[in-house]
Amino acid sequence: MEHRTIAGTTVSAIGLGAMPLSIEDRPDETRAIATVHAALDAGVTLIDTADSYHWHADEVGHNELLVARALARYGGDTSGVLIATKGGRGRPGDGSWTVTATPERLKRAAEASARRLGVDAIGLYQLHKPDPAVPWAESVGALRDLLDVGTIRAAGISNVTISQIRQAHQILGDGLVSVQNQYSPAVRDSEPELQLSTELGLAFLPWSPLGGISRSSLDGPSGPTSIGTAFHRIAAEHGVSPQQIALAWLLSRSPAVIPVPGASRPASITDSAQAAELTLSPGELTQLNHALPG
């Protein structure tokens, strides 16, 4: 598989979004573990999780524990796999999502995530979402503290604006390595944040990267699944899935982009991983750049 870098660490150009393995309508554990193993078999070395990826209120960290078990049970070498987890959000168990990003909460959450993942230090820890009740500098300052004491090796921020990226970069310096915003065929309003991330040398990890092609599981669907778009026409010409075309298009947007499509079946991530080897022509990219699923 093609590779890209996060703060000098080489990872697969396509990651695995593990969230669907733990939230509502999740698969049983056998299929969930098989999905992670299929990702590893396909060459995926970046797995995206979070302490809030769970269904019921009393199972915080469900997804982190699941990912840890899957890695432990894998028969091959997993030393090169980067686990990116997040803190600052919660799930009360009624289907809603909350935001609490006080420094105290983030520090406790990171320590708990490290224990669940079974690591001395988290490879990449991301602030899941800005908390409107907490000054941004205070939340980001908690990441600085976590870096300083060695609880995390690198920091990222998610669901952020241009000004928040700039301020975090000032506070964290080289410790800030990634931005994770929603970006997809249907949702492209984070283009400025993508460009700034590229300029600053930060990895840009689109969440819900298949929006408009497949439905999102986080914060509600990003719109109905479309048919008959340029993504579908070009997919038919290549003999591949529209999801592969969407991911290949995302990879073309910037060398900083590392999509993390969700999957709840082995076949889904196996298909998605193949997008890293797909070459789109300049003419096809022009069509896709101007195509909006309707």
Side-chain angles (χ1 to χ4, degrees), residues 7 144 147 154 169 172-177:
R144 177 73 269 168
L147 285 165
H169 191 250
L172 297 171
D174 292 341
L176 178 66
V177 303

Side-chain angles (χ1 to χ4, degrees), residues 264-279:
S264 62
R265 296 180 299 115
S268 297
I269 188 57
T270 299
D271 180 74
S272 290
Q274 293 171 2
E277 307 302 328
L278 185 60
T279 300

Side-chain angles (χ1 to χ4, degrees), residues 5-7 155-157 165-166 168-169 173-180 193-205 254-258:
T5 60
I6 299 179
I157 50 178
I165 295 172
R166 291 194 184 280
H169 191 250
D174 292 341
L176 178 66
V177 303
S178 67
V179 171
Q180 188 167 19
E193 288 78 12
L194 166 57
Q195 295 307 317
L196 178 59
S197 298
T198 304
E199 292 170 14
L200 295 176
L202 308 176
F204 187 87
L205 315 178
S254 164
V257 171
I258 307 173

Side-chain angles (χ1 to χ4, degrees), residues 57 96 105 108-109 137 139 156 197 216 252:
S96 66
R105 163 72 185 277
R108 290 197 305 269
S139 295
S197 298
S216 168
S252 78

